[in-house]
Amino acid sequence: MLVGLKEVLEEGKRRQIAVANFNTPNLESLIAVLEAAEELDVPVIIAHAQLHERIVPIDRVGPMMVELAKRSKTRVCVHLDHGEDFEYCKRAIDFGFTSIMIDFSDLPYDENTKGTRMVTDYAHEHGVDVEGELGALPEREGSEAMDVRKREQPAPGDERELYTKPELVGDFLEKTNVDALAIAFGAVHGLYKKEPNLDMELITEITKKTDIPLVMHGGSGVSDEDYREVIRRGIRKINYYSYMAYAGYAKAKEIVNTVEADYYHNIGYGARQVMKADALRILKVFSHM
Ligand SMILES: [Zn+2]
């Protein structure tokens, strides 16, 4: 069934688990994720990232996501990932998304809070939940390929500059009125080039300031042990995508290289099977199964 972000995150809190957020920019990943969540009877968030607009427009994939969520046996939130402007957020709301993330984290603090508040007020009027971001991840996934606002990159060694500052959390939440907060504590979008070094203590510090559900982006490529630790410390939503997408890619490549002449649909089907296996694996970790 189609539900809001607050509802799945409340279940997450009750069960002391993290709810997985998967981007689903094609039918294969969408089916893979829904089947995996239904099999385990866990809540799930399916998301369309604004930067995937070129790969799959929201007016095509959005209605498909909403309809399949409504028909699902499990609790499914349909979410806009990294909304970058108000207009696009409004479009997602028009298509029936139950949750949006507005990401003004690359703007100066005052612009971030003011812009986020405008979106929050509009979304709440329409019964839609909102995730905001305070602090920033160094790169948006796929941003090198897309015409999105470029972040200034921190100098090596200065990455901590982008981390969420606990002393701003109370003020940010009061000014923006968001329902979930994405924080930055060392994770990186995309495939990791080296082991991420997560500042676990920072999560705990932030949970002392607020009981709002906390969100981790860049959740791919983290060890199972670290996932359990961030969940234990209070992360309730983890955005996981890159490694599932990579698993699908690797399988497609294997099929192309080993099968002489075949149909395109068999590539998609093969990729879907391995993406489902990957989703099952990560959902079990996030749900302590
Ligand atoms: Zn993200």
Side-chain angles (χ1 to χ4, degrees):
M1 73 206 74
L2 177 65
V3 298
L5 182 65
K6 280 203 287 194
E7 187 173 333
V8 291
L9 296 183
E10 267 158 28
E11 180 175 345
K13 187 177 180 183
R14 205 166 57 239
R15 296 171 58 182
Q16 297 288 297
I17 61 173
V19 182
N21 173 120
F22 298 94
N23 286 352
T24 53
N26 47 55
L27 190 57
E28 287 75 27
S29 52
L30 185 52
I31 296 175
V33 165
L34 289 174
E35 283 186 357
E38 284 166 357
E39 231 170 88
L40 300 174
D41 190 27
V42 291
V44 73
I45 300 159
I46 52 175
H48 171 72
Q50 184 170 346
L51 66 79
H52 286 157
E53 176 67 24
R54 191 184 62 174
I55 299 168
V56 58
I58 191 170
D59 64 352
R60 305 279 180 191
V61 76
M64 195 162 77
M65 291 165 71
V66 171
E67 187 56 33
L68 291 182
K70 283 179 184 165
R71 295 175 186 213
S72 176
K73 283 184 286 186
T74 191
R75 285 79 63 206
V76 183
C77 168
V78 180
H79 177 74
L80 173 66
D81 188 29
H82 290 283
E84 293 166 32
D85 60 84
F86 197 1
E87 286 311 308
Y88 201 86
C89 291
K90 283 181 181 169
R91 289 182 67 199
I93 291 169
D94 287 345
F95 284 120
F97 282 45
T98 53
S99 171
I100 54 174
M101 179 198 188
I102 180 67
D103 180 5
F104 287 140
S105 64
D106 57 330
L107 298 177
Y109 181 73
D110 279 347
E111 286 177 52
N112 183 359
T113 53
K114 283 193 188 116
T116 301
R117 180 60 185 242
M118 249 169 42
V119 174
T120 309
D121 285 347
Y122 180 87
H124 285 172
E125 276 167 29
H126 292 79
V128 170
D129 301 328
V130 179
E131 175 187 338
E133 179 164 335
L134 178 62
L137 268 59
E139 275 177 71
R140 285 198 166 96
E141 55 259 74
S143 58
E144 71 284 350
M146 300 296 292
D147 183 24
V148 293
R149 292 194 301 269
K150 282 277 177 193
R151 275 186 208 297
E152 285 205 20
Q153 296 300 306
D158 284 351
E159 290 87 0
R160 290 195 66 90
E161 273 304 298
L162 296 175
Y163 288 14
T164 305
K165 296 183 176 57
E167 63 274 19
L168 290 177
V169 168
D171 185 66
F172 184 82
L173 295 177
E174 194 183 322
K175 284 181 174 153
T176 61
N177 200 26
V178 293
D179 306 294
L181 180 67
I183 58 170
F185 56 98
V188 179
H189 280 133
L191 302 170
Y192 279 97
K193 294 172 188 94
K194 59 178 177 19
E195 271 280 290
N197 184 15
L198 303 177
D199 183 349
M200 299 292 183
E201 207 43 52
L202 187 53
I203 305 171
T204 302
E205 250 184 88
I206 293 167
T207 56
K208 285 179 188 157
K209 308 273 180 191
T210 177
D211 53 12
I212 197 170
L214 298 178
V215 180
M216 174 185 188
H217 284 246
S220 277
V222 172
S223 70
D224 291 356
E225 199 181 313
D226 277 356
Y227 283 132
R228 291 191 185 101
E229 182 66 10
V230 300
I231 296 165
R232 195 184 66 74
R233 287 179 185 257
I235 293 286
R236 289 289 160 250
K237 170 177 182 278
I238 302 179
N239 285 29
Y240 177 91
Y241 174 64
S242 300
Y243 281 77
M244 180 182 81
Y246 183 78
Y249 161 79
K251 185 66 188 179
K253 193 172 176 185
E254 182 198 312
I255 295 169
V256 170
N257 287 338
T258 53
V259 181
E260 188 68 19
D262 205 342
Y263 298 102
Y264 172 72
H265 59 228
N266 286 330
I267 302 173
Y269 178 71
R272 190 179 103 201
Q273 299 300 99
V274 297
M275 288 194 288
K276 180 179 172 183
D278 195 66
L280 277 169
R281 193 194 76 77
I282 210 69
L283 285 168
K284 283 181 186 167
V285 175
F286 290 0
S287 313
H288 315 301
M289 287 179 188

